[in-house]
Amino acid sequence: MSHTEQDDTATPDRTKSTGKRSRTGPAGLRGLAQLAGRSLMHLLIVGLLVLAFDRALYAVFFRQYDKLLRLTRLEKPVDVLIVGSSNLLWALDADYLAARTKLRVNIITIAGGDTGFRLNVLKEYLRRHGPPRLFVLQTDAYLFDRHRYQKEAYRQIEGYYPAGLLSDYIRGRWDDPKDLWLNTISASHALNSQKGYIGTRVYEKFAGLVEQVTGYKPLETELPVEGPTPSPAGNQAGTKNDGTAPTKTAGREQSSAGKTSTEANTRNLEIIGATPEARLALWHKTYSETDRDLREAPALVAGFEQTVELIRRHTVTSIFLEPPAFPLPYGQDRIEAVRERIRKAAASAPHIRYIRDLPGFGPGERSNANLFFDPAHVNVAGRIAYSKAVAELLIQASGQ
Amino acid sequence: MSFVSLSFAAFVLAALPLYYLTPVKHRPLFLALLSAVFYLLSEPLYLPVLLAVSIVTFYAGRALGSERSEQSKLRLTLWIVALLVINLAFFKYFSFFKLVLAPVLPPPQLLSPYLKVVLPLGLSYYSFRAIGYILDCYWEKAQPEQRFDRLLAYLSFFPHLLSGPIQKAQDFQAEMPAANASDRATSNRMTFDSDLARSGLELILWGLFKKVVIADNLAKYVSAVYDQPNDFGGAYVLWALYFFAFQLYADFSGLTDMAIGVGRLFGINAPQNFARPFYASNIQDFWRRWHITLTNWLSTYLFTPLHMSLRGGGQWGLMAAITINMLAIGVWHGPTLIFVAFGVFHAVLMVVSVLTMPLRDDLFEKLRLPTKLRSVVGGLITFHLVTLSFVFWKAGSVPAAFELLGRLAAPSSAAITTLLAIAYLKLGILLIALLLLLERFTSAAADPFENQFGPRGQLPSRSLPEWMRRHVLSAILIALILFLGALDGEPFIYQQF
């Protein structure tokens, strides 16, 4: 076919592209009113259909996001409520804890879950059920660091908004009226920030089906686990490639104690060119640059203080748990000052304990780089070891 | 002012009632003024360039209409076309010329205040429209405009100003009422047409869907791989190459669909710019489906005259005409080595395809292979060749492109730091499947509204009345935009050209 044929094919064909063209404009005011009435009716029908599809999408895809489902478990009373951010999310295996302790455990840990989020989860729980048997609050040494939580971290939890949970908290955090408006009218938009995660889950279901039928797996990687919390410098693994805060990443809970998505990732995703020595060098480099940035944010301090106050007022048996962190010699004086403040807060009430080292996960494990993915997050091996240690703690602390 | 912005929506919504309250005969003037306001709001500094081009084109067109001597007409045409080309080249290729002439120029600090030249908004598009208009006046295919506002409305029509489509003058003239108010035959042009307006709204929605759901989500994975190619290997890089092809298509076709859609709200129809290009069975077919109005423009005003003048050269003449045409397509995008390479690459593909077409026909006939198989195999090869050419485009330099292509040979693995990007990879695969599914049921000539849910609808929902099918599709697209849309205001790729 010669190049000159382009002329024929691209000639605009108005009847094709617009269907029949009846230029029957409205005749006078009456016609205009009729047209306006018809248009309004059509808009109303489209609006109702949008609402229906929007709710249908939410209903279908909400279930792909199991962290959302876990938060909805706030509607049910539990024995142990654990609240924190990605540090504990990576470090604890919910199914293992439940199986080992025989307790109803609800772990609400999301990347970017700052002290305000933790306070509001506890508030919501107390409002619904009163104090749990045991409340575990993640209190790490970077708790008040203004650079730790990305500004958009709360988008992680916007999916809870249509579920009617934490709505006051989330409403208060919208800084863009357009976002507030969109999330108020659209339930499925509340899942928008988790679309990467939800798409992954749907893809894997199809890929699993294809594999079953044909034996071929289109992509070898498993679902990404939760991206780590941004480092104090905001320059940590998981943040670099697409410019999106890792707090937008969603994570999947482990399906069982023995087989985890994390293991699959470790098997299938290699750290290209990164030997253990190279990783340590990277950690040192990253954290040495953060030394000067450990300034506190008053709002984060206030969030913590209000949580302590709430715990005191409701006499909630609580543990302030410092998650595992690989020791690096940077900013130690400031970190120690934060730790001291947390210790003091814990000491202010007899029903609060501060715990850093656990039997089974003490200084020896903390300084074992083989148990860590990065200085603030354990890897699969670390997760297994830490979950075992925390299970024993829960059994002991809940008085079983 | 981006098409995907509340300010643009507000601008159009405010302009529409005023437009339809204006008497029909003054609507071209209203459109010209509206486009000037749009330009002022977007890039006021270069409005004089647009006006100067319009004035020169207007008077040149009138002169061509009144001139009797063929030789004078030819001379005038050549002068004006040269002037318009020089103007375009000055702004578009200034940085290139500066680079080339750097050794002979005075020290840069002496000239620096004058050396900052920014490409005026839409210059490539309105310059091409102006050149086409002059040539059509010369060839007597278009009527020289006697009213400046009508020509200005054509050259600067704001929905088409930023990224096309590049509509021919006679097609735009056919959308306007005749300059002579007594011409009843055209008195209903530019009047409100509910069918056209509805199809415009549907096209805007379809374009928006392609932009914010498909293109901007694919961009997240594409950027991750192109920014850090060493973090990915094998299949991961291959997916990024595919993704960019679809991203570019969804981004650009979404933009022009929206432009055409907005135009229809004002009663102005325009030719389509894309027709399912990834269903093309060979490279010629691809270029009949991709950026159709640019290809058409070049075909009319460059390829055909060249081919005619070189026809004595036989196959060589044809090859030369094709090569120059494809080079022009490449260079139109910018004066960089990458775009030259893009043009050369496609010229080679086109020449090889044209020359081997008879051989391939014979081969398939001898092998007695079904036509369907041929189009599938040809389609896959074409898609991969086009995708390969886009690698150079996106990478920005030849070494960067080769570095990325080199990663294809690496083991299929990804650094653990890319977990989030890989989540978008899997989402992206689903989105491409969704796009292809929606387009699969459309003919090459229209959007899904006109086919899937139109009179020739192929879904079981045919039992629903047509208006209901259209509403269902609209509602699905809106819900998907809310659910999956990347509403963070990514700029359109093609607005830079």
Side-chain angles (χ1 to χ4, degrees):
Chain A
M1 213 175 281
S2 87
H3 191 61
T4 50
E5 286 178 34
Q6 286 172 359
D7 253 351
D8 304 326
T9 52
T11 306
D13 182 344
R14 285 188 218 106
T15 51
K16 258 187 188 173
S17 57
T18 64
K20 57 184 188 298
R21 283 190 72 178
S22 58
R23 290 188 183 267
T24 49
L29 279 178
R30 196 174 160 189
L32 199 66
Q34 280 176 350
L35 180 71
R38 272 207 312 272
S39 303
L40 271 178
M41 190 195 73
H42 285 297
L43 276 178
L44 191 69
I45 293 170
V46 172
L48 288 172
L49 285 169
V50 170
L51 213 61
F53 286 121
D54 177 69
R55 295 301 187 269
L57 284 171
Y58 183 74
V60 170
F61 290 103
F62 178 85
R63 303 201 171 278
Q64 306 301 323
Y65 185 28
D66 41 14
K67 273 212 316 308
L68 282 175
L69 288 176
R70 211 150 27 82
L71 187 63
T72 60
R73 282 190 226 141
L74 267 179
E75 290 165 358
K76 293 179 186 165
V78 290
D79 298 312
V80 181
L81 178 65
I82 302 174
V83 182
S85 70
S86 64
N87 309 99
L88 278 187
L89 173 71
W90 282 50
L92 292 178
D93 183 324
D95 294 329
Y96 174 79
L97 289 185
R100 174 73 185 90
T101 63
K102 309 278 188 267
L103 293 166
R104 291 170 300 169
V105 181
N106 193 1
I107 306 177
I108 297 178
T109 45
I110 62 163
D114 61 13
T115 57
F117 169 70
R118 297 170 208 189
L119 167 68
N120 277 275
V121 170
L122 179 62
K123 258 189 200 169
E124 185 90 14
Y125 187 89
L126 290 174
R127 189 176 66 78
R128 286 167 181 266
H129 313 294
R133 203 197 286 188
L134 178 65
F135 174 62
V136 179
L137 179 71
Q138 178 188 317
T139 50
D140 54 275
Y142 293 99
L143 194 63
F144 309 127
D145 175 17
R146 65 171 71 226
H147 296 287
R148 169 173 167 177
Y149 308 99
Q150 301 277 334
K151 194 184 169 194
E152 294 191 337
Y154 67 94
R155 285 182 186 276
Q156 273 277 333
I157 50 172
E158 66 188 14
Y160 306 132
Y161 185 78
L165 290 162
L166 305 175
S167 44
D168 289 342
Y169 167 63
I170 298 168
R171 192 178 277 276
R173 298 198 68 170
W174 294 115
D175 49 8
D176 183 348
K178 189 183 76 185
D179 281 343
L180 174 61
W181 182 78
L182 272 176
N183 279 277
T184 304
I185 60 161
S186 166
S188 69
H189 186 68
L191 299 176
N192 188 291
S193 65
Q194 306 305 327
K195 62 191 169 217
Y197 176 86
I198 291 168
T200 301
R201 292 294 297 269
V202 176
Y203 170 87
E204 284 176 352
K205 282 181 182 168
F206 280 109
L209 203 66
V210 171
E211 194 182 8
Q212 267 184 1
V213 175
T214 64
Y216 169 72
K217 190 165 187 188
L219 273 176
E220 275 300 315
T221 47
E222 272 285 320
L223 174 75
V225 267
E226 185 91 26
T229 308
S231 72
N235 185 27
Q236 204 170 303
T239 63
K240 57 190 276 195
N241 276 312
D242 62 356
T244 315
T247 47
K248 282 188 174 181
T249 322
R252 179 167 69 176
E253 288 310 290
Q254 294 177 355
S255 52
S256 69
K259 188 181 177 193
T260 66
S261 57
T262 317
E263 283 173 311
N265 279 320
T266 312
R267 189 175 64 245
N268 293 318
L269 289 172
E270 62 180 66
I271 304 172
I272 295 175
T275 59
E277 293 76 24
R279 273 195 301 150
L280 263 175
L282 178 69
W283 296 355
H284 276 280
K285 184 175 178 296
T286 304
Y287 277 74
S288 64
E289 289 166 359
T290 66
D291 197 15
R292 62 187 178 281
D293 280 334
L294 294 173
R295 283 170 297 165
E296 291 180 354
L300 294 174
V301 176
F304 174 69
E305 285 172 351
Q306 286 172 34
T307 309
V308 175
E309 182 52 38
L310 200 63
I311 288 170
R312 278 213 217 108
R313 195 162 5 114
H314 289 267
T315 328
V316 185
T317 305
S318 304
I319 290 173
F320 289 175
L321 183 64
E322 181 169 338
F326 185 82
L328 290 169
Y330 307 109
Q332 281 304 314
D333 49 342
R334 295 184 196 188
I335 286 173
E336 202 45 56
V338 173
R339 228 171 244 146
E340 191 49 40
R341 184 186 297 198
I342 296 167
R343 270 196 209 105
K344 268 189 187 163
S348 68
H351 47 87
I352 308 177
R353 289 162 66 194
Y354 166 76
I355 293 175
R356 186 180 179 202
D357 292 323
L358 296 165
F361 210 101
E365 286 76 16
R366 267 197 283 117
S367 53
N368 180 357
N370 290 327
L371 296 178
F372 285 83
F373 168 74
D374 67 32
H377 300 88
V378 290
N379 60 19
V380 182
R383 183 174 188 150
I384 291 168
Y386 194 71
S387 293
K388 279 182 181 169
V390 170
E392 298 313 314
L393 169 72
L394 296 186
I395 291 169
Q396 176 256 318
S398 63
Q400 280 199 327
Chain B
M1 203 188 297
S2 169
F3 278 16
V4 186
S5 67
L6 287 177
S7 51
F8 183 74
F11 180 80
V12 172
L13 286 176
L16 275 172
L18 296 176
Y19 175 72
Y20 284 112
L21 285 172
T22 306
V24 175
K25 63 177 178 180
H26 295 310
R27 284 180 191 170
L29 173 64
F30 183 88
L31 273 191
L33 292 174
L34 191 65
S35 299
V37 171
F38 176 80
Y39 208 91
L40 273 175
L41 291 172
S42 305
E43 199 178 66
L45 191 64
Y46 286 110
L47 182 62
V49 180
L50 170 64
L51 290 176
V53 166
S54 305
I55 291 167
V56 168
T57 308
F58 174 68
Y59 283 108
R62 274 177 47 147
L64 283 170
S66 57
E67 184 61 58
R68 293 280 169 256
S69 154
E70 272 303 310
Q71 206 165 14
S72 304
K73 279 171 79 172
L74 177 64
R75 199 178 308 125
L76 179 63
T77 303
L78 290 176
W79 272 109
I80 298 299
V81 169
L83 191 66
L84 292 169
V85 169
I86 289 167
N87 178 60
L88 175 64
F90 172 75
F91 287 104
K92 190 147 186 163
Y93 307 122
F94 187 85
S95 55
F96 171 74
F97 293 137
K98 199 172 81 173
L99 199 71
V100 171
L101 298 175
V104 293
L105 285 175
Q109 59 271 30
L110 291 179
L111 281 171
S112 58
Y114 309 103
L115 282 176
K116 286 179 187 168
V117 173
V118 178
L119 180 67
L121 207 61
L123 177 74
S124 305
Y125 295 97
Y126 68 73
S127 294
F128 269 40
R129 276 194 281 268
I131 294 168
Y133 169 75
I134 293 294
L135 288 170
D136 281 342
C137 286
Y138 171 68
W139 288 326
E140 296 178 3
K141 285 183 183 174
Q143 283 291 322
E145 282 295 354
Q146 300 302 313
R147 270 173 43 188
F148 180 66
D149 59 317
R150 289 169 60 88
L151 183 77
L152 187 58
Y154 163 60
L155 292 181
S156 68
F157 184 43
F158 76 94
H160 302 173
L161 183 64
L162 304 182
S163 54
I166 306 170
Q167 192 166 13
K168 287 183 179 169
Q170 54 271 41
D171 293 335
F172 196 87
Q173 284 171 335
E175 299 293 324
M176 288 191 284
N180 178 2
S182 64
D183 187 349
R184 282 170 175 267
T186 65
S187 61
N188 67 344
R189 289 178 186 167
M190 280 185 158
T191 54
F192 183 79
D193 176 348
S194 56
D195 283 347
L196 193 65
R198 187 215 58 222
S199 76
L201 286 173
E202 289 170 348
L203 207 50
I204 292 170
L205 190 57
W206 176 232
L208 186 66
F209 170 81
K210 283 196 278 188
K211 166 65 180 163
V212 300
V213 175
I214 307 292
D216 289 353
N217 280 318
L218 296 184
K220 293 182 193 299
Y221 181 69
V222 171
S223 301
V225 176
Y226 276 83
D227 290 349
Q228 302 284 342
N230 288 330
D231 284 353
F232 299 85
Y236 294 95
V237 174
L238 188 62
W239 274 110
L241 309 189
Y242 292 153
F243 271 30
F244 181 65
F246 281 99
Q247 182 201 339
L248 188 62
Y249 163 62
D251 190 283
F252 189 21
S253 68
L255 177 61
T256 49
D257 282 351
M258 290 170 78
I260 296 168
V262 174
R264 285 182 187 176
L265 295 182
F266 288 88
I268 302 283
N269 201 7
Q272 61 175 131
N273 217 15
F274 289 87
R276 298 193 307 166
F278 295 135
Y279 285 92
S281 57
N282 56 48
I283 197 72
Q284 299 105 292
D285 191 21
F286 173 80
W287 280 107
R288 282 194 294 271
R289 294 162 175 262
W290 181 277
H291 207 167
I292 296 168
T293 55
L294 174 68
T295 317
N296 251 354
W297 191 96
L298 286 167
S299 181
T300 307
Y301 303 112
L302 182 67
F303 175 79
T304 306
L306 261 177
H307 190 201
M308 295 300 280
S309 57
L310 297 172
R311 66 187 160 203
Q315 292 280 49
W316 289 103
L318 175 65
M319 283 161 57
I322 290 174
T323 305
I324 292 169
N325 195 46
M326 299 316 290
L327 260 176
I329 287 181
V331 175
W332 177 84
H333 290 92
T336 63
L337 192 60
I338 282 291
F339 289 126
V340 173
F342 178 80
V344 169
F345 182 76
H346 277 274
V348 171
L349 293 182
M350 190 75 89
V351 166
V352 170
S353 183
V354 168
L355 294 183
T356 61
M357 183 68 84
L359 289 174
R360 282 182 285 147
D361 287 344
D362 284 349
L363 183 70
F364 272 85
E365 204 166 304
K366 275 179 192 163
L367 293 173
R368 294 187 178 177
L369 292 172
T371 321
K372 190 90 179 164
L373 180 69
R374 182 177 178 179
S375 62
V376 169
V377 173
L380 282 173
I381 293 172
T382 305
F383 172 70
H384 282 85
L385 289 171
V386 169
T387 299
L388 182 64
S389 70
F390 289 151
V391 175
F392 291 86
W393 181 332
K394 173 68 178 168
S397 72
V398 176
F402 277 111
E403 186 192 350
L404 190 74
L405 291 173
R407 296 295 308 166
L408 284 171
S412 283
S413 57
I416 205 146
T417 50
T418 63
L419 293 174
L420 182 56
I422 287 168
Y424 275 99
L425 165 64
K426 292 176 177 176
L427 173 68
I429 292 170
L430 296 177
L431 292 178
I432 289 174
L434 177 66
L435 177 71
L436 290 177
L437 186 73
L438 279 171
E439 292 205 327
R440 176 70 189 83
F441 293 106
T442 67
S443 78
D447 56 275
F449 285 96
E450 293 304 327
N451 286 272
Q452 180 64 34
F453 284 70
R456 295 193 303 260
Q458 294 173 40
L459 281 185
S461 59
R462 285 186 72 179
S463 52
L464 288 173
E466 187 192 334
W467 64 268
M468 192 61 181
R469 279 181 267 156
R470 289 176 176 280
H471 287 358
V472 167
L473 183 57
S474 299
I476 289 173
L477 292 183
I478 293 172
L480 283 173
I481 288 168
L482 288 168
F483 176 40
L484 295 170
L487 304 175
D488 38 13
E490 282 282 317
F492 286 97
I493 296 172
Y494 252 79
Q495 271 186 359
Q496 62 183 297
F497 303 122

